């Protein structure tokens, strides 16, 4: 379970990206985070794995007080959270399997990882996940020879190989052809259903959120303006979610 209480983030330049966010997300949920550009979606996700340090409030993930983690404890926590970026964040001169294996690095000392001393189980997991995202044929290919959609699938396989308790995906389709959105969200949805891993995905296309998510969190200018099952989203509510946000465009 994720319990967020009164979470706030004010950046050094004074931008209030998050204001008093409180939300509880049960294990195994598939949550779409929606809202206009600048609403705070990305900052919210980044606070959950501490890529961004909150300035206020509490975050508890399965009993871990995330906001106060430091050093090794923070590293240990981070390996349990798979983060999928808009821009994939892969090492493009390395192969698919090498990138996916790097999902295991958090489990080994740095020197082992640097020497590529992965266990047989690491390789097995990596191959399994490469299969899940449909890239077995490309296992040995360099990432820079792949299409954007394929690269994002590598990033997802890497996140799965972390054996995460939580996957955070920050607009994973944003830099891809729109018709690939279903492929990416489909893979995340299958993983969520098969493994029971909680998935939070930032989506600014509301139709996609409706098709894939069980639950929606809507942000508007740093505030949580809707939290509920996807069935409750109607046009009125959608208007309210997007109301007054023009200044954030
Ligand atoms: P979204 O993901 O919904 O597009 P973000 O979380 O990226 O929104 O941004 C929320 C607000 O915080 C925006 O006004 C954005 O410009 C601001 N912001 C994001 N990152 C930083 C930063 N590092 N420094 C200052 N302001 C930032």
């Amino acid at each position: 379970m994720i319990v967020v209480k009164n979470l706030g983030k004010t950046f050094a330049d004074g931008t209030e990206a998050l204001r008093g966010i409180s939300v509880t997300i049960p294990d195994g949920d598939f949550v779409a985070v929606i809202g206009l550009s600048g609403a705070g979606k990305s900052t919210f996700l980044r606070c959950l794995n501490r890529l961004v340090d909150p300035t206020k409030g509490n975050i508890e993930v399965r009993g871990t007080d995330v906001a106060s983690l430091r050093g090794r404890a923070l590293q240990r926590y981070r390996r349990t959270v798979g983060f999928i970026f808009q821009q994939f964040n892969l090492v493009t001169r390395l192969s698919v399997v090498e990138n996916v294996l790097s999902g295991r690095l958090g489990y080994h000392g740095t020197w082992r990882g640097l020497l590529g001393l992965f266990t047989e189980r690491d390789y097995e997991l990596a191959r399994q996940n490469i299969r899940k995202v449909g890239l077995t044929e490309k296992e040995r290919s360099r990432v820079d020879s792949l299409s954007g959609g394929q690269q994002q699938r590598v990033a997802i396989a890497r996140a799965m190989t972390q054996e995460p308790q939580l996957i955070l995906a920050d607009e994973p389709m944003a830099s891809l052809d729109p018709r690939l959105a279903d492929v990416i969200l489909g893979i995340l949805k299958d993983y969520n259903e098969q493994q029971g891993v909680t998935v939070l995905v930032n989506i600014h296309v509301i139709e996609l959120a409706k098709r894939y998510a069980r639950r929606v969190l809507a942000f508007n200018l740093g505030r949580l303006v809707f939290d509920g099952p996807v069935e409750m989203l109607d046009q009125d509510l959608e208007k309210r979610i997007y109301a007054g946000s023009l200044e954030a465009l």
Side-chain angles (χ1 to χ4, degrees):
M1 189 148 87
I2 301 172
V3 183
V4 174
K5 279 191 194 142
N6 200 27
L7 178 67
K9 173 65 187 178
T10 306
F11 285 103
D13 66 358
T15 307
E16 273 191 87
L18 296 174
R19 311 174 201 216
I21 307 298
S22 295
V23 65
T24 300
I25 298 166
D27 287 339
D29 216 346
F30 193 108
V31 180
V33 181
I34 64 169
L36 282 177
S37 175
K41 305 182 296 295
S42 177
T43 305
F44 177 65
L45 246 56
R46 282 160 198 263
C47 282
L48 292 181
N49 83 334
R50 288 281 305 282
L51 282 173
V52 164
D53 287 333
T55 38
K56 244 178 85 183
N58 292 310
I59 303 170
E60 208 182 281
V61 177
R62 289 193 161 182
T64 302
D65 175 5
V66 172
S68 71
L69 292 175
R70 302 275 176 274
R72 289 194 93 117
L74 179 56
Q75 261 177 358
R76 265 201 305 277
Y77 168 71
R78 282 221 180 104
R79 77 182 180 201
T80 70
V81 182
F83 200 98
I84 296 160
F85 298 84
Q86 276 182 29
Q87 300 296 338
F88 328 133
N89 279 29
L90 300 168
V91 184
T92 53
R93 65 191 161 72
L94 296 182
S95 69
V96 168
V97 70
E98 286 167 319
N99 271 277
V100 173
L101 273 170
S102 73
R104 301 303 298 161
L105 284 178
Y107 291 91
H108 305 303
T110 316
W111 64 272
R112 272 189 75 134
L114 286 174
L115 294 174
L117 293 177
F118 293 103
T119 65
E120 199 42 50
R121 178 160 184 281
D122 294 335
Y123 278 97
E124 240 168 67
L125 262 174
R127 288 201 193 96
Q128 260 172 33
N129 292 323
I130 291 171
R131 199 174 329 120
K132 273 192 192 131
V133 301
L135 286 176
T136 298
E137 247 88 278
K138 300 280 183 189
E139 199 177 286
R140 301 266 151 215
S141 305
R142 267 174 67 138
V143 161
D144 52 15
S145 71
L146 305 182
S147 69
Q150 289 170 333
Q151 291 193 28
Q152 193 57 300
R153 278 144 65 192
V154 175
I156 295 173
R158 177 181 60 186
M160 292 170 173
T161 302
Q162 284 176 246
E163 297 187 297
Q165 54 173 325
L166 172 63
I167 286 201
L168 305 171
D170 190 8
E171 299 205 29
M173 308 78 70
S175 44
L176 303 177
D177 188 314
R179 74 201 151 77
L180 291 174
D182 283 301
V183 176
I184 299 298
L185 287 170
I187 291 171
L188 291 173
K189 182 85 179 158
D190 287 349
Y191 186 70
N192 164 261
E193 282 171 1
Q194 287 160 17
Q195 308 288 323
V197 170
T198 311
V199 175
L200 270 74
V201 52
N202 285 353
I203 306 181
H204 72 256
V205 180
I206 209 161
E207 285 315 312
L208 285 172
K210 281 183 177 167
R211 235 177 310 146
Y212 288 92
R214 262 195 293 273
R215 173 167 178 194
V216 170
L217 302 180
F219 285 78
N220 182 326
L221 295 175
R223 291 206 170 79
L224 188 62
V225 292
F226 174 77
D227 168 12
V230 74
E231 300 79 34
M232 273 180 64
L233 274 180
D234 57 24
Q235 282 195 337
D236 259 13
L237 204 51
E238 286 170 29
K239 264 192 219 140
R240 262 194 288 143
I241 290 167
Y242 291 108
S245 299
L246 288 178
E247 62 189 284
L249 275 173

